[in-house]
């Protein structure tokens, strides 16, 4: 009888554990890059050296974590700020009823470690914004499975900012997956090199919004009644008290108001869950779409880490609403992108320069052709051309020494009607 | 692990460090400092360092609302311009497209918002509401009815409301400036 190798060796590996994955790592194929180091080297990097960060441990995140662990990534970190809700259990398969209320990141990490011996998953229960550049610097690849535009914009901008000309390791590939119902996309972003998340912001489906007069006068759908409760009735009744869409009592209040309204107009279909869905702008999540998109993200992570096959360049779109449709294309960078576009100029400045002198210097620069520039530093105004009140408020700065307004190696954001993008000045005092 | 650095070197004008401030903030700086408003509109900043919260005063120089000064609050969220600015009228005014709580029915503030639009487009859109109030998209149904049924009567109601008069039991804010 064949001897079974115990899976609980220190490495967590047993013979043949990676038999299938090794088929693609042991020999170069016709399309592998010249840099592909078949055999122990690439396996060693994947299993013992690479460190990968997964952002989001929800519908996509559960799939991504499981895939990465099974493919042989062994040092995985995961961040998620949410706790498990009973409604997550239909698709977020790392969670069980006993886990409801616990942090997603922690439970997902424990589950994966138990299921896949030898893998370390380090959870962080909190916001991505809690972590600094040093934290993000430690990873080779970042994979995002998020449903929030705001969080994605943040991580995208952070990784673009992280790129340091003098340090090749500062360029962290970002793999971003997203799904909405039967639709989804996966993309590979090399911050500062290829089109970034911000570059493609206008491709997003915008949140559904109904005309406010329809909501007020001629509601026909349950959604109209719910929007009436949240957009019009909440502020009317509660004044400046903010609606907290995470507070069940607030949702219940809206639900009651919306139900009354629906009865009045003989509209059916207002439920508590729909109320929550509409105000939180929840798009139904389909487990299979998540699986497809997560698989595509993890394929890309695997290919970037091993170079065993060409990677996605750079946008994969999946539409499963009517049959199966997918399309892959190269999304172009936008030169005017506020995150990865624009230009940066290093400026050497004498200690005696005033802000006005800098402005004159800018206007004289032939290669920029700037007209009426407005300047700020670190989000604070330096000089604004308008509106009149702001021009007046910032005018006194013109006479001030620049060194009193901007620290050494500080940055100034310049916008102008003649520039479609933002110009950044990095100042050093001589 | 893939080396993208060589690819990047070819494109050295690319990736330069950006200031660590939000994309929304820079976009608002661009929108606001490049506003091109007629003399009938003026922005007011309670805190000139805070570009995300301010108000707009519209003083129409023609049309039925001439003589009034109308105040709107603007709140810009971190997802601007993906999401539109939040705009409310801070006074109780008699207008078919503005309700008594200050909600405004303007398509580009909700269903027709696009990131290529800017604050200037929103402000011009608001001013247009005072030149051409629209009875088809009512938020104040009585005012819309009045406009639809009897334009002269509606205009006299507008004049009275500007002076702080009451119409059908609703007392409007006095917004007359001349
Ligand atoms: Zn970009």
């Amino acid at each position: 009888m064949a001897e079974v190798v115990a899976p609980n060796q220190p490495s967590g590996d047993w013979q043949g554990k990676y038999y299938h994955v090794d088929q693609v790592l042991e020999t170069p194929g016709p399309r592998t890059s010249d840099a592909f180091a078949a055999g122990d080297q690439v396996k060693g990097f994947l299993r013992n050296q690479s460190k990968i960060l997964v952002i989001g441990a929800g519908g996509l995140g559960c799939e991504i974590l499981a895939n990465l662990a099974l493919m042989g990534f062994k040092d995985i970190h995961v961040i998620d700020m949410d706790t498990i809700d009973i409604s997550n259990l239909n698709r977020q398969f790392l969670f069980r009823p006993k886990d409801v209320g616990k942090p997603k990141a922690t439970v997902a990490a424990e589950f994966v470690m138990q299921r896949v011996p030898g893998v370390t998953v380090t959870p962080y229960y909190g916001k991505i914004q809690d972590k600094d550049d040093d934290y993000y610097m430690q990873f080779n690849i970042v994979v995002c499975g998020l449903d929030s535009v705001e969080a994605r914009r943040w991580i995208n901008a952070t990784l673009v900012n992280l790129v340091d000309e003098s340090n090749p390791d500062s360029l962290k590939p970002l793999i971003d997956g997203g799904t909405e119902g039967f639709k989804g996309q996966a993309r590979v972003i090399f911050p500062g090199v290829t089109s970034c998340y911000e570059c493609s912001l206008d491709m997003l489906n915008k949140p559904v919004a109904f005309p406010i007069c329809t909501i007020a006068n001629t509601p026909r759908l349950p959604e109209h009644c719910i929007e009436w409760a949240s957009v019009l009735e909440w502020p009317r009744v509660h004044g400046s008290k903010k609606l907290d869409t995470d507070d069940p009592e607030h949702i219940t209040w809206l639900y009651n108001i919306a139900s009354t309204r629906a009865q009045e107009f003989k509209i059916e279909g207002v439920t508590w869950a729909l109320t929550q869905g509409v105000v939180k702008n929840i798009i139904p999540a389909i487990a299979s779409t998540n699986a497809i998109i997560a698989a595509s993200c993890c394929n890309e992570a695997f290919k970037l880490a091993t170079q065993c096959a060409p990677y996605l360049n750079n946008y994969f779109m999946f539409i499963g609403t009517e049959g199966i449709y997918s399309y892959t294309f190269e999304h172009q960078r936008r030169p005017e992108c506020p995150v990865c576009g624009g230009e940066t100029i290093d400026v050497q400045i004498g200690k005696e320069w005033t802000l006005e002198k800098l402005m004159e210097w800018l206007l004289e620069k032939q290669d920029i052709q700037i007209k009426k520039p407005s300047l700020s530093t670190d989000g604070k105004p330096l000089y604004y051309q308008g509106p009149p009140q702001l021009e007046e408020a910032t005018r006194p700065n013109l006479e001030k020494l620049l060194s009193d307004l901007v620290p050494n190696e500080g940055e100034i954001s310049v916008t102008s009607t003649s520039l479609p993008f933002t110009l950044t000045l990095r100042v050093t005092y001589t | 692990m893939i080396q993208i650095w060589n690819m990047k070197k070819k494109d050295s004008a690319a990736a330069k460090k950006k200031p660590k401030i939000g994309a929304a903030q820079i976009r608002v700086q661009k929108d606001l400092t490049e506003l091109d408003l007629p003399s009938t509109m003026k922005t007011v900043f309670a805190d000139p360092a805070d570009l995300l919260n301010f108000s707009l005063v519209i003083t129409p120089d023609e049309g039925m609302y001439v003589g009034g000064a109308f105040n709107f609050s603007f709140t810009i969220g971190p997802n601007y311009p993906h999401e539109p600015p939040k705009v409310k009228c801070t006074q109780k005014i008699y207008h078919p497209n503005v309700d008594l709580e200050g909600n405004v029915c303007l398509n580009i503030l909700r269903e027709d918002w696009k990131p290529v639009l800017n604050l200037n487009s929103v402000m011009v859109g608001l001013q247009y509401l005072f030149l051409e109030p629209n009875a088809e998209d009512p938020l104040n149904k009585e005012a819309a009815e009045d406009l639809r049924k009897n334009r002269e009567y509606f205009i006299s109601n507008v004049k009275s409301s500007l002076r702080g008069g009451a119409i059908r039991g609703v007392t409007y804010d006095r917004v007359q400036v001349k």
Side-chain angles (χ1 to χ4, degrees), chain A residues 45 140-141 150 153 158 161 164-165 167-168 171 190 192-193 198 204 206 209-213 215-217 227 232 236 304-305 307 311 333 339 341 344 374 376 378-379 384 386-387 389-390 411 413 415-417 419 422 424, chain B residues 1-5 7-9 11-12 14-21 23-26 29-30 32-35 43-45 48-49 51 78-82 88 99 101 103-105 110-113 115 137-139 141:
Chain A
F45 176 79
N140 299 104
I141 299 172
E150 200 178 333
R153 283 176 86 180
T158 299
N161 274 309
D164 173 355
E165 299 283 288
N167 178 12
L171 205 159
F190 295 126
V193 179
E198 193 82 20
L204 289 180
K206 54 178 186 165
F210 302 103
I212 201 157
C213 14
I215 299 169
N217 302 309
E227 291 242 314
L232 298 173
R236 192 181 67 80
L304 292 181
Q307 304 193 74
Y311 56 85
R333 264 182 92 174
V339 171
T344 302
S374 290
S376 64
D378 202 17
Y384 288 160
Q389 189 200 348
L390 297 186
E411 283 163 345
S413 308
T415 57
S416 150
T417 35
L419 291 178
T422 316
T424 305
Chain B
M1 179 70 198
I2 186 126
Q3 289 302 324
I4 329 138
W5 205 246
M7 206 166 124
K8 211 190 103 49
K9 277 281 138 77
D11 189 17
S12 64
K16 295 282 176 65
K17 270 196 175 274
K18 296 274 119 189
K20 262 247 158 204
I21 68 163
Q25 176 88 25
I26 293 194
Q29 172 180 325
K30 192 165 168 59
L32 280 175
T33 56
E34 294 169 21
L35 282 179
T43 50
V44 180
F45 293 80
L51 298 186
N79 265 344
Y80 184 79
H82 177 60
K88 278 207 156 188
D99 73 12
E101 271 70 48
N103 296 298
V104 185
C105 186
R110 283 180 67 83
E111 69 275 13
D112 291 334
W113 170 257
D137 297 329
L139 268 187
K141 272 192 245 178

Side-chain angles (χ1 to χ4, degrees), chain B residues 1 3 24 26 38 45 75 79 86-87 98 121 125 152 171 173:
Chain B
M1 179 70 198
Q3 289 302 324
I26 293 194
F45 293 80
T75 311
N79 265 344
K86 285 200 168 55
V87 176
V98 180
S121 4
E152 291 311 310
T171 307
D173 285 347

Side-chain angles (χ1 to χ4, degrees), chain A residues 120-375:
Chain A
T120 307
V121 184
T122 312
Y124 175 71
Y125 167 46
K127 295 166 100 169
I128 50 175
Q129 289 87 346
D130 297 344
K131 299 293 190 183
D132 59 10
D133 286 358
D134 288 343
Y135 175 83
Y136 291 106
M137 265 305 283
Q138 66 179 310
F139 301 104
N140 299 104
I141 299 172
V142 178
V143 189
C144 264
L146 285 163
D147 58 3
S148 144
V149 173
E150 200 178 333
R152 277 174 161 138
R153 283 176 86 180
W154 189 89
I155 188 68
N156 176 65
T158 299
L159 295 183
V160 171
N161 274 309
L162 205 60
V163 178
D164 173 355
E165 299 283 288
S166 58
N167 178 12
D169 287 340
S170 63
L171 205 159
K172 312 289 179 193
L174 170 64
I175 301 169
D176 179 57
T179 67
E180 281 191 3
F182 288 108
K183 297 181 191 166
Q185 82 282 331
R187 57 193 295 194
V188 174
I189 295 169
F190 295 126
V193 179
T194 62
S195 156
C196 80
Y197 184 71
E198 193 82 20
C199 287
S200 61
L201 209 57
D202 55 0
M203 286 182 57
L204 289 180
N205 295 330
K206 54 178 186 165
V208 184
F210 302 103
I212 201 157
C213 14
T214 305
I215 299 169
N217 302 309
T218 49
R220 295 179 309 277
L221 301 171
E223 287 85 351
H224 292 157
C225 302
I226 295 165
E227 291 242 314
W228 184 75
S230 63
V231 177
L232 298 173
E233 284 301 281
W234 179 276
R236 192 181 67 80
V237 174
H238 294 95
S240 56
K241 183 173 152 195
K242 241 186 137 244
L243 174 67
D244 177 4
T245 55
D246 288 323
D247 184 336
E249 275 180 36
H250 288 191
I251 302 288
T252 303
W253 188 89
L254 295 177
Y255 165 63
N256 290 332
I257 299 285
S259 303
T260 315
R261 174 101 172 151
Q263 261 165 21
E264 201 181 311
F265 285 88
K266 304 194 167 45
I267 296 168
E268 284 178 18
V270 174
T271 60
W272 198 93
L274 184 72
T275 307
Q276 188 193 37
V278 168
V279 297
K280 294 188 82 170
N281 201 19
I282 298 174
I283 290 118
I286 310 287
S288 51
T289 313
N290 282 343
I292 291 165
I293 295 302
S296 171
C297 290
C298 294
N299 277 350
E300 295 312 316
F302 185 79
K303 290 187 288 181
L304 292 181
T306 63
Q307 304 193 74
C308 68
Y311 56 85
L312 167 66
N313 182 30
N314 51 28
Y315 202 116
F316 163 75
M317 192 184 243
F318 169 77
I319 301 172
T321 35
E322 291 164 49
I324 277 190
Y325 175 77
S326 78
Y327 183 58
T328 300
F329 64 100
E330 184 178 351
H331 189 270
Q332 298 293 333
R333 264 182 92 174
R334 269 174 51 214
E336 73 277 18
C337 170
V339 171
C340 76
E343 278 184 45
T344 302
I345 302 179
D346 284 303
V347 201
Q348 305 273 324
I349 286 177
K351 278 259 189 295
E352 75 292 351
W353 278 37
T354 57
L355 178 60
E356 190 158 31
K357 174 110 171 67
L358 178 78
M359 298 269 296
E360 283 164 12
W361 174 85
L362 256 180
L363 292 172
E364 279 162 17
K365 259 186 94 64
Q366 289 298 322
D367 53 337
I368 326 180
Q369 296 276 336
I370 204 164
K371 288 191 195 89
K372 292 188 135 209
S374 290
L375 284 67

